[in-house]
């Protein structure tokens, strides 16, 4: 076999094994938690609606079948995997009688919109400013930004969030403190609704951008400065290549590679949502959904969210590994 | 003989640490802020005893409900009559304790795994590295949330241990890389020629050289633990009997202090920010000292 084929085969096999392991781990981890949510749920219904024991037993059986909780743990596992392969996460307890995937796909756009946009904006500003200010080392702007970055990059985003809410919602009253859009509007593709979404998203997005952008700024600045002493740059400069070209073609291209990888990985992690941020702002994304599901021990919804997250993270890593050698000629396919 | 040599070594390195502390502004500022927080945090039980007598600041009805700020209650009381200033003081102690304890546990694991992995190499290294890398991509928040939701009434030590167990991989990676590069240096080879055994080499030759990275790893793990604990408590998850700063932030926001007394929330936010900024300053200062290339990155 050629090294390329061998590499591809090994990498894809590792991907499948890891994914299978992750799904299995998620399935068993949460079912081993003490407590029986379905019994509690049914008990509640029975107390209010049914009094006959015979009827109640039938109901329990029916619900167990519906939630995939029939038989022993192993039978449940086999059933679950079979359903999963058909893209079915099972019925949700929290949003009963809707399915887990229906709830997930309802929350996903909010999380992707908020976290994805914030991540891309932070990345763009952090990387461009980090590289430029490191390139022009004598600039005062770089020193000031670096000082700010030392302070801001490690302050937790939720503390920034609380501070922003305190100032902009409570003291100034300019922006709403919770929610994703004005509840009096009906969701749809009209200007009014979109403006409302932006207005409500501004504070949560800003809390993320402030911390993340400074993080990207520092790491890019570090990469750039480490690069500046390299021989190939001295040589290129000696050849008489213009400064702007030197920056774009020789410096920035080298920075872009590792930083793009970083962005890819952080975008993969984004799918699970920001539990704390979404809870603070009551933002209807994946993190908020997860904390709700956990509160009710909604197996199918919890597992669904975590499995989707593992799937996206692992797939993003696979794609990066496969594409990386194409972008960077120095990377070889065999170890 | 060797004991004499070791103790003189310690004095030399202590002198070195003090010399570096005095020179580097970030280290100076960061460690003075952090030291001040530590002192205030750990003498807070005595301060509170002077202020409140035998009552704990987080006991119900220490004062009347919603008392205005006064000399006795500098930040007033909440809807249960709890003393917010006193809770801010002991909250600092509890949050710092969790960070330091979890950081120590994480560092112990990181040093062990990093050293074995880097020094032994081969298949041991491969297995340990795979384990470390796997743990690094496991989403920790869901795990923390599950543990916190289904185990009530955890004491501080258990919380710190749980946080510590999960926050070592970053530090282990850095330490492994350092050991790996040191292992090939001439002085280690010389030690081997002198028939020193592995343990002696690790403790007398490698450990002193990796020390700054161990400290950096410790601070990172401590920050990670405080970050996770505060975040979870902020959204109301975690043992209700542990009055950390995250818990205080959560209850002050919960009773509507944001609109009624914004300065109370601001005070809690300020103390939390100081913890993170001071630890980060120490970290960056240390990295600059031991990796001079970095000096240009944040050098002011």
């Amino acid at each position: 076999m050629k090294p390329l084929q061998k590499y591809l085969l090994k990498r894809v096999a590792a991907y499948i094994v890891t994914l299978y392991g992750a799904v299995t781990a998620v399935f068993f981890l949460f079912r081993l938690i003490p407590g029986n949510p379905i019994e509690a749920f049914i008990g509640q219904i029975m107390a209010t609606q049914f009094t006959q024991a015979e009827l109640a037993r039938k109901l329990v059986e029916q619900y167990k079948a519906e939630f995939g909780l029939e038989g022993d743990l192993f039978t449940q596992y086999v059933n679950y995997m079979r359903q999963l392969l058909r893209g079915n996460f099972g019925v949700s307890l929290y949003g009963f009688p809707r399915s887990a995937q229906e709830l997930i796909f309802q929350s996903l756009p909010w999380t992707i919109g908020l976290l994805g946009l914030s991540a891309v904006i932070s990345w763009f500003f952090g990387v461009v400013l980090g590289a430029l200010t490191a390139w022009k080392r004598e600039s005062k702007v770089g020193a000031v930004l670096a000082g700010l970055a030392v302070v801001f990059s490690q302050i937790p985003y939720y503390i920034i969030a609380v501070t922003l809410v305190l100032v902009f919602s409570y003291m100034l009253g300019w922006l709403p403190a919770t929610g994703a859009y004005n509840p009096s509007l009906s969701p749809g593709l009209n200007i009014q609704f979109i403006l409302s979404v932006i207005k409500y998203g501004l504070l949560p997005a800003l809390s993320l951008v402030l911390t993340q952008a400074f993080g990207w700024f520092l790491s890019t600045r570090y990469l750039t400065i480490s690069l500046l002493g390299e021989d190939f740059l001295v040589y290129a400069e000696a050849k008489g290549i213009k400064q702007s070209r030197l920056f774009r073609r020789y410096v920035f291209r080298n920075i872009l590679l590792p930083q793009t990888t970083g962005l890819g990985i952080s975008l993969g992690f984004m799918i699970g949502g920001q539990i704390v941020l979404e809870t603070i702002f009551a933002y209807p994304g994946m993190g908020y959904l997860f904390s709700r599901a956990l509160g009710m021990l909604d197996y199918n919804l919890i597992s669904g969210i975590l499995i989707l997250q593992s799937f996206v993270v692992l797939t993003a890593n696979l794609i990066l590994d496969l594409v990386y050698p194409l972008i960077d000629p120095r990377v070889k396919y065999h170890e | 003989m060797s004991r004499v040599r070791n103790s003189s070594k310690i004095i030399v390195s202590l002198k070195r640490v003090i010399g570096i502390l005095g020179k580097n502004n970030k280290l100076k500022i960061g460690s003075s802020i952090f030291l001040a927080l530590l002192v205030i945090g750990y003498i807070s039980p005595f301060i509170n005893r002077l202020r409140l007598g035998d009552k704990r600041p987080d006991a119900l009805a220490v004062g009347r409900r919603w008392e205005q700020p006064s000399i006795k209650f500098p930040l007033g009381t909440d809807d249960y009559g709890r003393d917010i200033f006193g809770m801010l003081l002991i909250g600092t102690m509890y949050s710092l304790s969790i960070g330091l304890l979890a950081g120590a546990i994480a560092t112990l694991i990181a040093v062990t795994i990093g050293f074995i992995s880097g020094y032994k190499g081969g298949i041991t290294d491969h297995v340990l590295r795979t384990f470390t890398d796997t743990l690094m991509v496991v989403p920790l928040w869901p795990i923390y949330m599950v543990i916190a939701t289904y185990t009530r009434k955890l004491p501080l030590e258990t919380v710190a241990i749980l946080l510590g167990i999960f926050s070592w991989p970053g530090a282990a990676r850095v330490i492994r890389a350092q050991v790996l590069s040191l292992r090939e240096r001439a002085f280690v080879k010389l030690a081997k020629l002198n028939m020193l055994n592995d343990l002696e080499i690790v403790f007398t030759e490698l450990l002193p050289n990796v020390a700054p990275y161990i400290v950096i790893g410790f601070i990172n793990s401590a920050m990670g633990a405080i970050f996770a604990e505060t975040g979870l408590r902020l959204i109301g998850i975690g043992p209700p009997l542990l009055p950390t700063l995250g818990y205080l932030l959560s209850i002050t926001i919960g009773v509507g202090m944001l609109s009624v007394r914004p300065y109370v929330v601001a005070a809690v936010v300020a103390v939390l920010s100081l913890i993170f900024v001071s630890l980060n300053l120490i970290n960056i200062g240390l990295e600059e000292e031991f990796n001079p290339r970095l000096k240009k990155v944040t050098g002011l």
Side-chain angles (χ1 to χ4, degrees):
Chain A
M1 246 193 287
K2 284 181 193 163
L4 176 67
Q5 285 171 323
K6 208 173 157 188
Y7 171 80
L8 282 177
L9 212 66
K10 256 172 88 177
R11 189 62 190 79
V12 173
Y15 166 73
I16 293 169
V17 171
T18 326
L19 191 58
Y20 174 75
V23 170
T24 308
V26 165
F27 178 88
F28 284 108
L29 192 71
F30 288 94
R31 277 173 178 68
L32 292 178
I33 297 171
N36 192 334
I38 307 285
E39 301 267 284
F41 182 63
I42 293 170
Q44 216 175 9
I45 295 177
M46 280 189 343
T48 54
Q49 290 170 13
F50 295 95
T51 42
Q52 282 179 292
E54 185 64 21
L55 257 169
R57 191 145 26 85
K58 269 190 188 160
L59 191 70
V60 168
E61 291 310 313
Q62 197 186 326
Y63 272 88
K64 275 194 168 172
E66 186 134 23
F67 284 101
L69 292 166
E70 275 174 321
D72 57 17
L73 205 56
F74 185 72
T75 323
Q76 290 180 29
Y77 173 64
V78 173
N79 282 338
Y80 187 78
M81 293 304 260
R82 202 176 287 152
Q83 288 296 314
L84 197 61
L85 286 177
R86 294 195 201 119
N88 191 358
F89 286 149
V91 181
S92 158
L93 191 58
Y94 164 63
F96 188 79
R98 292 195 289 168
S99 69
Q101 65 263 32
E102 197 186 331
L103 292 173
I104 289 175
F105 286 113
Q106 200 180 331
S107 301
L108 208 49
W110 292 108
T111 282
I112 293 181
L114 176 64
L115 304 187
L117 269 179
S118 313
V120 172
I121 292 171
S122 326
W123 184 86
F124 178 79
F125 281 107
V127 170
V128 169
L129 285 176
L132 269 178
T133 57
W135 176 244
K136 297 208 174 296
R137 242 184 295 178
E138 64 280 2
S139 84
K140 276 273 174 287
V141 184
V144 171
L145 282 179
L148 285 175
V150 170
V151 176
F152 276 106
S153 62
Q154 288 297 334
I155 293 187
Y157 60 86
Y158 50 75
I159 292 187
I160 309 248
V162 170
T163 314
L164 290 176
V165 166
L166 181 65
V167 174
F168 291 101
S169 303
Y170 285 92
M171 288 165 79
L172 297 171
W174 291 351
L175 292 164
T178 55
Y181 55 86
N182 189 339
S184 64
L185 300 170
S186 58
L189 272 180
N190 51 63
I191 295 292
Q192 235 188 342
F193 181 70
I194 293 170
L195 282 179
S196 164
V197 168
I198 294 174
K199 189 178 167 190
Y200 277 75
L202 223 48
L203 285 187
L206 199 59
S207 348
L208 290 175
V209 169
L210 265 178
T211 44
Q212 291 175 352
F214 280 118
W216 286 117
F217 175 84
L218 275 186
S219 69
T220 310
R221 195 171 156 84
Y222 176 59
L223 280 173
T224 313
I225 285 174
S226 316
L227 207 68
L228 290 183
E230 295 280 345
D231 289 344
F232 72 91
L233 271 183
V234 179
Y235 177 66
E237 200 166 11
K239 268 202 309 193
I241 289 172
K242 267 202 307 196
Q243 287 289 313
S244 60
R245 187 181 160 79
L246 205 61
F247 175 73
R248 271 184 293 117
R249 302 283 306 208
Y250 289 75
V251 176
F252 202 61
R253 266 197 77 168
N254 269 305
I255 300 302
L256 218 46
L257 208 58
Q259 300 301 67
T260 312
T261 317
L263 178 67
I265 291 169
S266 64
L267 283 180
F269 272 110
M270 176 194 86
I271 296 300
Q274 281 279 12
I275 296 164
V276 178
L277 194 78
E278 288 175 10
T279 308
I280 292 175
F281 287 100
Y283 206 82
M286 296 284 281
Y288 192 61
L289 187 66
F290 183 82
S291 58
R292 282 297 138 101
L294 198 63
M296 279 189 82
L297 201 53
D298 183 345
Y299 292 144
N300 287 340
L301 191 50
I302 296 171
S303 312
I305 293 171
L306 289 179
I307 288 171
L308 183 72
Q309 189 181 8
S310 323
F311 174 72
V312 173
V313 170
L314 290 171
T315 311
N317 271 312
L318 177 75
I319 294 172
L320 277 174
D321 274 0
L322 295 183
V323 170
Y324 214 73
L326 298 180
I327 319 174
D328 190 347
R330 287 168 303 186
V331 175
K332 295 280 189 294
Y333 271 114
H334 48 85
E335 280 182 35
Chain B
M1 180 64 192
S2 84
R3 195 174 293 159
V4 173
R5 209 189 61 187
N6 272 348
S7 62
S8 71
K9 239 184 187 175
I10 290 170
I11 291 171
V12 169
S13 52
L14 262 180
K15 271 186 185 159
R16 212 171 132 210
V17 169
I18 292 166
I20 289 167
L21 262 179
K23 223 170 45 201
N24 188 310
N25 272 334
K26 291 196 190 72
L27 271 177
K28 225 190 302 183
I29 299 170
S31 47
S32 356
I33 297 176
F34 188 70
L35 211 63
L37 287 169
L38 265 184
V39 170
I40 293 170
Y42 284 96
I43 62 168
S44 65
F46 306 105
I47 302 178
N48 283 339
R49 186 164 302 155
L50 287 180
R51 292 174 53 238
L52 308 168
D54 280 339
K55 285 184 192 152
R56 283 171 62 98
D58 57 333
L60 301 183
V62 173
R64 277 173 289 122
R65 304 176 64 202
W66 288 108
E67 225 170 287
Q68 286 294 332
S70 59
I71 293 172
K72 186 165 183 208
F73 300 117
L75 287 172
T77 61
D78 72 355
D79 58 333
Y80 289 119
R82 290 178 288 193
D83 163 38
I84 291 175
F85 181 72
M87 286 181 77
L88 184 63
L89 291 182
I90 58 162
T92 308
M93 177 176 78
Y94 277 101
S95 285
L96 288 177
S97 302
I98 285 182
L100 295 177
L101 201 56
I105 292 160
T107 308
L108 205 65
I109 304 175
V111 168
T112 313
I113 292 201
F115 265 89
I116 294 176
S117 193
Y119 192 72
K120 282 280 173 213
I123 185 83
T124 320
D125 178 36
H126 191 76
V127 171
L128 288 177
R129 219 177 50 205
T130 313
F131 181 56
T132 313
D133 288 353
T134 312
L135 200 62
M136 253 185 142
V137 293
V138 169
L140 288 179
W141 282 86
I143 297 180
Y144 286 151
M145 285 180 71
V146 171
I147 297 174
T149 311
Y150 295 100
T151 50
R152 290 260 155 219
K153 285 192 181 171
L154 289 183
L156 183 137
E157 294 78 16
T158 319
V159 173
I161 290 170
L162 285 171
L163 291 167
I165 287 175
F166 290 110
S167 41
W168 56 267
R173 257 190 178 181
V174 175
I175 292 169
R176 174 190 165 271
Q178 288 301 317
V179 173
L180 208 62
S181 80
L182 285 172
R183 198 180 62 174
E184 303 302 324
R185 300 275 179 82
F187 66 90
V188 176
K189 294 204 162 136
L190 193 67
K192 272 187 184 158
L193 285 177
N194 279 329
M195 308 295 272
L196 260 70
N197 66 30
D198 282 353
L199 273 182
E200 281 173 319
I201 293 178
V202 164
F203 280 103
T204 60
E205 306 294 334
L206 295 180
L207 208 57
N209 285 295
V210 187
Y213 297 92
I214 296 177
V215 177
I216 291 170
F218 168 73
I219 293 177
N220 273 329
S221 308
M223 277 204 286
I226 300 176
F227 174 79
E229 200 275 342
T230 311
L232 287 169
R233 298 307 291 282
L234 181 57
I235 57 174
I237 296 171
L241 295 176
L242 208 58
T244 61
L245 289 175
Y247 173 70
L248 182 59
L249 192 57
S250 151
I251 60 167
T252 48
I253 292 175
V255 297
M257 292 284 185
L258 274 172
S259 54
V260 192
R261 292 177 193 160
Y263 53 85
V264 169
V265 180
V268 185
V269 161
V271 174
L272 274 167
S273 306
L274 277 180
I275 292 179
F276 284 97
V277 172
S278 64
L279 283 174
N280 193 38
L281 280 172
I282 299 177
N283 239 1
I284 291 183
L286 276 176
E287 278 187 38
E288 280 175 5
E289 283 310 316
F290 293 96
N291 182 359
R293 248 186 174 175
L294 256 175
K295 195 142 215 174
K296 299 173 193 153
V297 177
T298 55
L300 293 172

